[in-house]
Amino acid sequence: MPDPVDYLIVGAGYAGAVLSERLASQRGARCLVIDRRDHIAGNSHDHYDAAGVLLHTYGPHYFRTNSDRIRDYLSQFTDWHAVEYKILSWTAGRFWQFPINLNTFEQILGRPSSSEEMQATFDQWRVPIAEPKNSEEVIISQVGTKLYEMFFKNYTRKQWRRDPRELDASVCGRIPIRTNRDDRYLSEKFQALPKDGYTAMFRRILAHPNIEVRLKTDYREARQHLRYRHLIYTGPIDEYFDHCYGPLPYRSLRFEAETLEQEYFQPAMQVNYPNDHDFTRIVEIKHATGQKLPVTTIVREYPEDFGAGREAYYPIPAPDARALYQRYADRTAAETGVSFVGRLATYRYYNMDQVVGMALAEFDRLATLP
């Protein structure tokens, strides 16, 4: 039996990497990080393809935050390449500014307009709903049915394989609708990508001599012969409990990459396809990374049902899924010596900075324990 470690950390994504670094560097703890995949960085992993294009392996990861603490923490391990993430939507045979803003409204009218006219028009178009309860209601209560059907309805159905009326208001509600000309996809004050990529940043986070990383290692097998003082679990919570209440529902994705002998393929880093094609979007991340190459690689993103051999990308934000998760969450109260951290362990959609913040908060909590 090998010597015990202080912390066994399941998962080498943000939650596991940040906690291992803090525990190793600030408390001198011995940390063993294991991951069933063959790489670090979780879904933020990036890599260079055969053409030399830096790609986000598991779909685009647009880092942003309003937290100085989170930005300052990660800045110990990376310099940044500032980006204003901008996307378009393709429908009715043309590109549209998206998220909806004054430029989009002018495209609809076919003439110049103003924020005042846009707001007055939306006040006429919108369906008055005081407290939107689902994703359809949250959009039609702001802009009415026409724009909802142009940009949201079918995209959401493709992505989730559920009608927007079955999904929490937060799904579509997280997309801003603006009456000014701010055409950025996101509004956080800090928007940037790690200058050398996400994988390089994670490599530096995990470089402490007190951290050992073992890849292609399954937690179920490893726990049988590993000794540790405390477990940090960042994997699927239903898997931890052997699916005793049944599997939690997720959505998965499939990516289709194509390298083209041209500098750029499309006018923005991301183009949504709400009403055409089986894919939801085409991402050309080179727009965001700033690489200077005569070739480009685009990635078409296809939503898929989750099942054996597929990655669990998105928890389903719906009442039935939340009720099943709560049964598992209630069981965690009886688990001693275990921390459940991250998107999969808490069955909730979090942005990258939110997971970093969650990990830093858990480190603060663990620091108060004997």
Side-chain angles (χ1 to χ4, degrees), residues 52-310:
V53 180
L54 180 63
L55 297 181
H56 292 181
T57 310
Y58 301 96
H61 280 65
Y62 305 140
F63 187 83
R64 73 277 196 182
T65 189
N66 285 323
S67 167
D68 292 340
R69 183 191 187 195
I70 291 167
R71 181 202 62 202
D72 292 345
Y73 171 74
L74 292 177
S75 294
Q76 298 175 83
F77 310 101
T78 186
D79 293 326
W80 298 97
H81 170 66
V83 185
E84 285 192 342
Y85 308 113
K86 296 187 179 183
I87 73 173
L88 299 171
S89 186
W90 174 270
T91 188
R94 63 177 293 186
F95 293 112
W96 299 82
Q97 291 269 327
F98 193 80
I100 295 168
N101 60 75
L102 179 56
N103 301 309
T104 320
F105 184 62
E106 290 181 339
Q107 287 182 288
I108 293 167
L109 296 181
R111 61 170 174 80
S113 183
S114 65
S115 297
E116 292 75 20
E117 182 185 17
M118 182 179 182
Q119 186 61 63
T121 304
F122 282 4
D123 287 344
Q124 294 177 350
W125 289 357
R126 71 184 191 87
V127 179
I129 302 173
E131 296 182 7
K133 296 181 175 60
N134 57 57
S135 274
E136 178 178 288
E137 290 184 352
V138 78
I139 299 301
I140 65 173
S141 68
Q142 296 179 81
V143 299
T145 57
K146 177 181 177 179
L147 297 188
Y148 165 69
E149 291 176 354
M150 278 182 66
F151 297 118
F152 294 92
K153 183 177 181 178
N154 292 326
Y155 188 100
T156 305
R157 283 177 168 174
K158 281 197 286 186
Q159 179 76 359
W160 299 100
R161 192 165 284 190
R162 292 195 180 200
D163 191 277
R165 287 170 290 188
E166 301 173 36
L167 297 168
D168 291 350
S170 61
V171 175
C172 289
R174 66 194 298 268
I175 306 298
I177 292 171
R178 307 185 181 106
T179 56
N180 57 24
R181 296 192 187 279
D182 184 355
D183 61 352
R184 297 173 302 159
Y185 182 46
L186 308 162
S187 57
E188 285 83 352
K189 65 181 182 181
F190 181 77
Q191 302 184 23
L193 292 175
K195 188 174 181 180
D196 300 321
Y198 286 107
T199 302
M201 179 180 73
F202 272 82
R203 196 174 295 120
R204 296 177 192 127
I205 292 173
L206 292 165
H208 195 279
N210 282 5
I211 300 174
E212 179 186 353
V213 178
R214 296 183 191 174
L215 302 176
K216 295 187 287 188
T217 300
D218 186 81
Y219 162 65
R220 295 185 174 283
E221 298 175 9
R223 68 179 178 180
Q224 298 176 17
H225 57 82
L226 291 174
R227 292 189 296 159
Y228 49 88
R229 196 161 53 81
H230 189 93
L231 173 67
I232 294 171
Y233 183 80
T234 75
I237 190 171
D238 53 338
E239 192 173 305
Y240 178 88
F241 290 109
D242 299 314
H243 303 102
C244 63
Y245 301 125
L248 283 166
Y250 293 90
R251 288 296 283 161
S252 192
L253 297 169
R254 175 172 62 86
F255 305 100
E256 182 184 278
E258 181 182 2
T259 298
L260 303 167
E261 296 296 325
Q262 58 195 78
E263 188 173 9
Y264 289 103
F265 169 77
Q266 61 190 25
M269 67 177 187
Q270 176 179 317
V271 176
N272 290 351
Y273 287 81
N275 303 310
D276 301 290
H277 309 292
D278 292 334
F279 50 83
T280 51
R281 57 187 178 180
I282 297 177
V283 174
E284 188 174 18
I285 201 66
K286 189 177 146 189
H287 283 276
T289 61
Q291 273 191 290
K292 303 298 182 185
L293 292 171
V295 300
T296 191
T297 299
I298 61 172
V299 180
R300 297 177 180 88
E301 188 170 307
Y302 295 84
E304 288 197 331
D305 294 334
F306 175 64
R310 292 178 179 168

